[in-house]
Amino acid sequence: MLHIKYTYKYMASRIPLKYWCSQVCSRLYSNGSKIIEIGGKKYQPDGNFTNVTPSMISLTGRSLHLKDRHPVGILRDAIENKLNSTDNAFLAYNTYKPVVSTYENFDSLGFPKDHPGRSKSDTYYVNSKYLLRTHTSAHELECFAKAKSGETNKPGFLISADVYRRDEIDRTHYPVFHQMEGCRIWNRDNTAYTSNVEPGHITKMREDLKKLEQQLHQQQTKVVVEDDTSLDGNPKQNYMTDLEVDLCSKHLKRSIELVISDVFHRKLESLRKTNKDASEIPTELQVRWIKAYFPWTAPSWEIEVWWQGEWLELCGCGLVQEDVLKKAGYAPDSTISWAFGLGLDRIAMLLFEIPDIRLFWTQDERFQKQFQKGIINTFKPYSKYPSTMRDVAFWLPQTENVEKIHENDLMEIVRNAAGDLVESVKLVDEFVHPKSGKKSLCYRINYQSMDRNLTNNEINALQEEVRNELSRKYNVHLR
Ligand code: DAH
């Protein structure tokens, strides 16, 4: 299975390297001056930034995570319930609109100005100030501010939403997917540091952790945890004591392990019921904590679970940078918090055994009728329609001042022309002409519908549109 980036590592290492020519890009999209309307709000496009397309905008109102008979909605509900089962500490925000400011998505979280996550090849911009959120962390600051203002008396919150990223096309990638963000807050009892009694928040953290550990202990599917707890290369923040870091990270890690043990337990149970050879089904789950880097947490980690012969990355998390808390209105040294971000679609695909992510978006009743509120069942494929391949090969332009084209731009052209009728797009050939130095690329587009047979005429027309758009927008020489 392909490695998928649902919990997108906002790490410096993820620099897009897929630019095919080095000329400075003049203008990526020319949407003219037509006003863009998303979720009832109007935005002025900007020729230098706007790359959100009508087909993307049409997906912004679907809210699959709120549907109680959809795999993504069922999973969201299950995780919320599990997290709240210990001490009912989390308030759920599930209806934030997808357009956020660049400040919310990046700056509020400490993303450097030149961070690759900000690039137009990875992110859908509405204009220079607004974009389709690329992660639910975009709402962290706002929710921290709500918690600070006393608008809620809960010490934690969860944010679930659809998130948007320009990406490749295959069975596990879709430009929209869903995440759940979780944060937990403790107010520091600073007065106690002058006396000999244990500060109130330490006692509270110990109690909260104990409750969580007890619950984890009662889970039917045990998690075997590999965790190098050292902070080498993953330093703590100065304002926190070693004890606070220890308690807060344990509470964070046990909370996530609880969710994983619950969700995977349901899957293992259903496998046990349907498999003849139940002895092959594992009775415990292996997980491991890996050091990570995110601009708004320190220290930071990712968790991976061993599932069907490979390590799956499920979730990024860490202790929230004090800077974010201060921006939300908390006084210096007053607050301790953890945060996590979890990709829902990949887990839902695995639990419900959904073979192609496009199925989540189909309106076909044969898909929609298979799921019920609160139940994790195995999807029964209703039919597999034949697929048809078409190659598109082209020379990249060599002249100066032409559009710089990124692989994701090609993906976007294909999505715009064919939408969910494309199963995958893969680079199958690439070479440089020895004499002219010109570069040629060949991509294979696999057309296949989830719901019906496609005719040859229909596919030819789609392919023609892809070819025309490629040469029109990027001046490539079709072969
Ligand atoms: N927003 C990150 C992503 O999309 C996931 C994440 C990592 C969220 C660490 C967090 C966190 O809150 O602390 O990859």
Side-chain angles (χ1 to χ4, degrees), residues 6-46:
Y6 287 171
T7 48
Y8 189 69
K9 273 177 265 176
Y10 272 132
M11 293 203 218
S13 62
R14 197 180 174 278
I15 295 168
L17 292 172
K18 292 178 186 162
Y19 286 103
W20 293 324
C21 44
S22 55
Q23 290 90 349
V24 175
C25 141
S26 53
R27 203 157 45 101
L28 259 175
Y29 285 81
S30 48
N31 289 35
S33 61
K34 266 195 247 145
I35 295 289
I36 300 175
E37 198 170 326
I38 307 175
K41 275 200 168 171
K42 296 199 164 96
Y43 301 89
Q44 185 71 45
D46 173 337

Side-chain angles (χ1 to χ4, degrees), residues 42 117 232 279 362 466:
K42 296 199 164 96
D232 295 344
S279 65
T362 181
V466 169

